[in-house]
């Protein structure tokens, strides 16, 4: 079933997509017993949506290994762009959706241009929103260290800040996201329907659940250090909200609640990302 293409000047780019990029991956553990930090994991549009964020309608958060990914796309069907994606562990589908087991879910994702924004929402229920990205090379003679800052378009303070550092004496290695299943991690994604934002022809809403398995592969990955320390003036979330207990979510010293300052991760150079047409689940 093809999506309803909105009346928009933005071109519709249907799947499959094959993309080339540099991918910075930050893994971290997310406890299922603690509520997700709504103001960090979600944009406000989806945070307020029962169909996307409530346990009753969108399924229970099961925690586990989560990821933040900063991706610099050099070649895609939608053009070049930058992206920050939040995957806070696995989720179970609600009872009304006949799809058993644990699945990944992108709860929040920010991109630097509108073509991928609209098409990501329409093709895969990926809750993309517009952001401004700044990348600063701390050493002009080397790609790392690299300071990464992501801003709400109307703000001068980033809601995500990190400096990525190289590690010493670590060789490059291959990686495929398909290998994660051998570690017991889910590789399929199940995305709930999206609410409609503003403008509606860009932040399009959807009506069905979608499931699929994007892949990332690279032969040139390296271990890196993430310095997650947030400057005092930037310890705020771009999209403040309330968690399930009704407490206002504030910015954390190291971005995510309970996260230490220094985290190991990896960078995948010359990576290929594949994302095809996903299956539709109608409750």
């Amino acid at each position: 079933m093809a999506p309803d293409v909105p009346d928009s000047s933005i071109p519709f780019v249907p799947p499959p997509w094959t993309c080339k990029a540099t991918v910075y991956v930050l893994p971290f553990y997310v406890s299922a017993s603690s509520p997700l930090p709504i103001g960090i994991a979600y944009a406000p549009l989806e945070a307020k949506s029962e169909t996307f964020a409530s346990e009753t309608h969108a399924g229970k958060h099961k925690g586990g290994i989560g990821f933040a990914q900063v991706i610099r796309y050099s070649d895609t069907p939608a053009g070049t762009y930058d992206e920050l994606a939040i995957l806070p562990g696995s989720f179970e589908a609600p009872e009304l959706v006949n799809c058993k087991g644990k699945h990944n879910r992108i709860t929040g994702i920010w991109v630097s241009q509108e073509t991928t924004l609209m098409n990501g929402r329409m093709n895969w229920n990926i809750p993309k929103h517009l952001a401004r990205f700044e990348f600063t090379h701390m050493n002009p003679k080397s790609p790392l260290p690299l300071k990464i800052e992501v801003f709400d378009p109307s703000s001068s303070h980033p809601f995500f800040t990190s400096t990525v550092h190289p590690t010493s004496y670590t060789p490059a290695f291959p990686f495929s996201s398909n290998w994660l299943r051998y570690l017991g991690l889910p590789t399929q994604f199940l995305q709930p329907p999206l609410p409609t934002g503003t403008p509606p022809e860009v932040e399009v809403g959807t009506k069905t659940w979608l499931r699929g398995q994007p892949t990332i592969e690279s032969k040139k990955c390296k271990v890196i250090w993430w310095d997650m320390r947030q400057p005092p003036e930037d310890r705020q979330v771009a999209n403040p909200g309330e968690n399930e207990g009704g407490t206002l979510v504030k910015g954390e010293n190291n971005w995510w609640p309970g996260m230490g300052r220094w985290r190991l991760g990896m960078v995948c150079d010359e990576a290929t990302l594949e994302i095809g047409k996903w299956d539709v689940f109608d409750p």
Side-chain angles (χ1 to χ4, degrees):
M1 182 171 62
D4 296 327
V5 180
D7 183 11
S8 171
S9 61
I10 300 173
F12 173 53
V13 187
W17 286 19
T18 298
C19 308
K20 302 296 184 181
T22 299
V23 184
Y24 300 88
V25 182
L26 169 67
F28 58 101
Y29 181 77
V30 185
S31 173
S33 61
S34 300
L36 284 175
I38 298 298
I40 299 175
Y42 295 85
L45 176 64
E46 284 75 33
K48 297 174 183 177
S49 169
E50 287 193 355
T51 59
F52 192 87
S54 75
E55 183 175 311
T56 300
H57 296 90
K60 187 174 182 180
H61 176 240
K62 302 300 290 184
I65 302 299
F67 299 93
Q69 297 177 347
V70 175
I71 306 179
R72 307 209 72 185
Y73 290 96
S74 58
D75 183 22
T76 85
T80 60
Y81 63 94
D82 299 311
E83 178 177 278
L84 166 66
I86 311 301
L87 298 78
S90 63
F91 289 78
E92 285 184 346
E95 292 184 2
L96 56 85
V97 178
N98 186 24
C99 188
K100 304 300 182 182
K102 297 179 182 179
H103 295 79
N104 288 318
R105 180 176 301 172
I106 299 174
T107 57
I109 183 168
W110 292 265
V111 294
S112 60
Q113 47 105 317
E114 290 185 334
T115 301
T116 186
L117 191 163
M118 185 199 77
N119 281 278
R121 296 180 71 91
M122 192 159 49
N123 289 331
W124 305 290
N125 286 0
I126 298 177
K128 295 187 176 184
H129 292 273
L130 201 62
R132 177 169 55 87
F133 291 72
E134 291 187 5
F135 297 87
T136 305
H137 290 281
M138 313 302 288
N139 180 351
K141 297 182 179 180
S142 174
L144 299 179
L146 177 67
K147 185 177 182 180
I148 303 169
E149 297 174 291
V150 188
F151 302 77
D152 183 271
S154 62
S155 176
S156 60
H157 295 287
F159 63 89
F160 178 90
T161 301
S162 181
T163 301
V164 178
H165 295 263
T167 56
S168 300
Y169 311 113
T170 55
F173 57 90
F175 171 80
S176 171
S177 58
N178 289 323
W179 299 345
L180 294 176
R181 67 178 182 269
Y182 298 117
L183 300 176
L185 299 177
T187 55
Q188 286 203 327
F189 286 68
L190 182 65
Q191 295 288 134
L194 296 176
T196 302
T198 304
E201 67 274 13
V202 179
E203 290 190 352
V204 297
T206 59
K207 298 178 181 179
T208 59
W209 286 73
L210 294 177
R211 185 179 72 173
Q213 184 171 324
T215 61
I216 300 175
E217 293 188 349
S218 172
K219 295 180 180 179
K220 295 184 177 182
C221 298
K222 287 187 176 182
V223 176
I224 56 174
W225 283 106
W226 291 78
D227 181 357
M228 298 306 300
R229 186 70 170 174
Q230 306 297 296
E233 65 273 17
D234 296 335
R235 290 176 194 166
Q236 59 180 15
V237 290
N239 310 303
E242 290 187 349
N243 63 23
E244 295 176 355
T247 303
L248 183 66
V249 176
K250 298 181 180 179
E252 297 287 329
N253 290 347
N254 300 313
W255 180 63
W256 192 271
M259 179 177 286
R261 175 176 176 177
W262 293 95
R263 304 288 302 183
L264 281 172
M266 70 177 178
V267 57
C268 297
D269 290 315
E270 300 180 17
T272 299
L273 293 86
E274 302 271 1
I275 182 165
K277 186 176 181 180
W278 288 9
D279 298 326
V280 175
F281 280 81
D282 287 311

